[in-house]
């Protein structure tokens, strides 16, 4: 439907940040002299006094891998049609190239380029529609399933990225046999740092690099996919380092190179967890680089953002991340959306809602769970605030309609269209002109079939209304519980630049 498409997320941190896993950064992690994994001679040395003096946890012994598949959509298409392998290939959604293979990139084609521009640069470019996400979704889950065969601690990040905690595997390897003195890292070492076989942290990461190489080889052998990997002591560093060498390569960052990796980021927006609005607020404080944020007095940062958010930002800039790799599990919501230049009539809105619901109902039936909540999100046109004007309304789905959803067919479509249009009227005054550029419908609060039965625990804790079923639809709309404006699209994120991470079913594709 749109270049902003389903995967595993849609959320914001502080109403604007584009990563969920950074939300859980420890609020108590502070910097202490001699403990942070930067050395006394690091670039941070000159601003040590401004970094705070509260105690910080010692560097983690975890080994975290980050896998990022190469030009995922293009790879899937080339696997389906091997004749495309030796041709410049672009995946098209609307009038945008959402990703392209490396042969196309050699001809000057880039992701998020207009199709007309791409064809001018590469007349022989083969275009394949990427509107139908079904096969991409299927392959994506096969990737995650393969990774889970190595470790149960696998966390999805959209269609093409996964975190994997292999700490236990490394521990087991160390218990089995001593590491030979000539043991080395598989792949690149960030900053060309030398491996010290006497340093435990180095050897743990070196073992992790061999696990990463083995997993990448399995991805290619079993699924035909190539990708990059980052190996580090936490999720933040693993993600940042994974794309250092592309395509189909891997990079390990040793603790002593943490400072260099962080300060090498082109700007604060390159750091996962720093969203558009947060970056703007930091810029008003005179902060435009990671180094600026590292050296900025924490007390002043707390005045602007509050203690918790300030500490999170401070930790991010230093490469500190205690968040665990959390197995993703089934998506917490299913959604679909479409963007367009202009919808300005109720008839057009109705047609688009019917189109989106048709697709969602089919997916919901295949999922097998019953949604309890429906949310409608719209984006109004704004010449001055193009990307950050989403507004949402949501309400419970009456039980009788929910049962129709999981039973299959399209019997639930008509009542859901009615509910969704009422949500729409809560946001839009039909007597005044309107200009919409996006509509999103989301089913959330998914529950397993039969979870609300009288024999279930939830039955006894659910407040039931004595009203008739016919009244339920009305009451749910009168009790709308969400009227939020959010910039989850994040400008570039909406165009596919940045992944939005959380355990739901929609994310914005970053490409690769």
């Amino acid at each position: 439907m749109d270049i902003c498409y389903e995967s595993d997320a849609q959320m914001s941190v502080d109403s604007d940040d584009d990563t969920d896993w950074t939300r859980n950064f420890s609020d108590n992690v502070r910097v202490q002299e001699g403990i942070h994994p930067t050395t006394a001679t690091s670039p941070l040395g000159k601003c040590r006094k401004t970094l705070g003096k509260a105690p910080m946890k010692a560097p983690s012994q975890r080994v975290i891998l980050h896998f990022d598949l190469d030009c995922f959509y293009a790879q899937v298409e080339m696997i389906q049609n091997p004749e495309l392998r030796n041709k410049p290939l672009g995946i098209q959604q609307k009038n945008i190239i959402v990703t392209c293979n490396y042969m196309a990139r050699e001809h000057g084609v880039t992701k998020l380029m207009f199709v007309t521009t791409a064809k001018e640069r590469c007349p022989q470019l083969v275009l394949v529609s990427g509107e139908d996400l079904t096969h991409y979704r299927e392959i994506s889950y096969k990737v995650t399933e393969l990774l889970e065969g190595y470790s149960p601690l696998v966390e999805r990040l959209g269609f093409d990225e996964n975190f994997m905690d292999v700490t236990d595997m490394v521990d087991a390897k160390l218990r089995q046999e001593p590491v030979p003195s000539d043991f080395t890292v598989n792949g690149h070492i960030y900053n060309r740092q030398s491996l010290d076989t006497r340093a435990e942290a180095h050897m743990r990461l070196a073992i992790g690099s061999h696990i990463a190489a083995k997993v990448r080889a399995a991805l290619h052998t079993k699924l035909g996919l190539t990708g990059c990997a980052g190996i580090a002591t936490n999720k933040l560093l693993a993600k940042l380092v994974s794309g250092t060498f592309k395509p189909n390569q891997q990079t390990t960052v040793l603790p002593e190179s943490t400072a260099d990796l962080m300060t090498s980021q082109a700007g604060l927006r390159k750091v996962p967890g720093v969203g558009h609005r947060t970056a703007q607020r930091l810029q008003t404080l005179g902060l435009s680089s990671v180094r600026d944020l590292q050296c900025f007095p924490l007390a002043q940062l707390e005045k602007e953002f509050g203690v918790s958010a300030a500490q999170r930002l401070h930790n991010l800039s230093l490469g500190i991340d205690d968040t665990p790799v959390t197995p993703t599990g089934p998506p917490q919501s299913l959604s679909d959306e479409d963007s367009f230049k202009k919808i300005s009539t109720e008839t057009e809105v109705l047609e688009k809602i019917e189109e989106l619901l048709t697709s969602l109902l089919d997916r919901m039936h295949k999922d097998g769970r019953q949604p309890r909540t429906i949310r409608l999100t719209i984006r109004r046109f704004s010449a001055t605030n193009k990307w950050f004007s989403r507004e949402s309304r949501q309400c419970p789905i009456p039980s009788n309609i929910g049962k129709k959803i999981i039973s299959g067919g399209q019997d639930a479509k008509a009542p859901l269209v009615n509910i969704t249009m009422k949500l729409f009227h809560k946001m839009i005054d039909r007597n005044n002109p309107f200009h919409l550029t996006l509509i999103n419908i989301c089913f959330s609060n998914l529950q397993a079939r039969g979870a609300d039965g009288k024999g279930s625990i939830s039955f006894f804790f659910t407040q039931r209304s004595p009203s008739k079923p016919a009244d339920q639809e009305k009451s749910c709309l009168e009790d709308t519980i969400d009227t939020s404006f959010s910039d989850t699209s994040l400008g570039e994120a909406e165009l596919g630049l940045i992944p939005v991470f959380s355990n739901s079913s929609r994310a914005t594709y970053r490409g690769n």
Side-chain angles (χ1 to χ4, degrees), residues 243-260:
T244 305
F245 295 94
K246 288 188 173 185
N248 195 28
Q249 300 182 65
Q250 63 180 55
T251 309
T252 300
V253 58
L254 302 177
E256 294 80 6
S257 291
T258 296
D260 289 338

Side-chain angles (χ1 to χ4, degrees), residues 160-174:
D160 64 337
E161 297 182 59
N162 287 270
F163 283 123
M164 183 174 172
D165 188 330
V166 296
T167 304
D168 289 345
M169 297 176 67
V170 171
D171 290 339
K173 178 68 174 177
L174 289 171

Side-chain angles (χ1 to χ4, degrees), residues 258-385:
T258 296
D260 289 338
L261 175 61
M262 296 309 303
T263 55
S264 71
Q265 303 308 308
L268 289 170
R269 284 301 307 275
K270 295 295 183 181
V271 179
V274 178
H276 175 81
R277 291 183 181 174
T278 298
Q280 285 185 327
R281 292 172 66 184
L282 290 170
Q283 193 168 14
T284 63
L285 298 176
L287 310 180
S288 59
S289 69
V290 173
R291 178 68 181 276
D292 292 339
L293 182 54
Q294 289 173 339
C295 297
F296 195 73
L298 183 58
Q300 294 185 35
L301 202 63
E302 290 175 349
K303 290 180 181 179
E304 174 67 22
F305 292 94
V307 175
S308 178
Q311 188 61 67
R312 178 178 64 82
L313 290 169
H314 189 64
N315 291 340
L316 283 170
S317 72
L318 297 170
I320 300 171
D321 175 10
D322 287 341
T323 58
V325 172
T326 305
T328 307
Q332 297 299 309
S333 64
L334 292 178
S335 66
D336 207 350
E337 71 181 39
D338 200 3
S339 65
F340 24 79
K341 290 184 178 180
K342 183 178 183 180
I343 277 185
S344 57
T345 69
E346 194 166 333
T347 300
E348 291 175 307
V349 172
L350 178 61
E351 291 175 352
K352 185 57 63 177
I353 284 175
E354 289 177 340
E355 177 185 336
L356 293 173
L357 279 173
T358 298
S359 170
L360 272 177
L361 286 172
D362 181 59
R363 288 172 50 206
M364 201 70 255
H365 174 59
K366 292 177 180 177
D367 180 273
R369 290 174 292 169
Q370 180 175 334
R372 297 310 182 101
T373 305
I374 184 170
R375 182 175 69 243
L376 175 68
T377 301
I378 61 173
R379 185 179 65 209
R380 303 174 193 251
F381 174 78
S382 171
T384 58
N385 194 20

Side-chain angles (χ1 to χ4, degrees), residues 434-470:
F434 61 88
H435 180 168
L436 303 184
T437 60
L438 177 142
I439 294 177
N440 173 292
I441 300 176
C442 175
F443 287 139
S444 61
N445 191 14
L446 309 183
Q447 296 187 7
R449 191 187 301 257
D452 65 338
K454 293 186 177 181
S456 69
I457 294 177
S458 63
F459 174 80
F460 295 98
F461 290 91
T462 301
Q463 183 176 356
R464 305 213 172 229
S465 169
S467 61
K468 297 178 181 180

Side-chain angles (χ1 to χ4, degrees), residues 60-75:
S60 171
Q61 292 298 304
R62 294 190 301 163
V63 180
I64 307 298
L65 312 182
H66 174 257
F67 295 98
D68 186 358
L69 297 171
D70 299 324
C71 52
F72 178 57
Y73 280 16
Q75 277 205 83

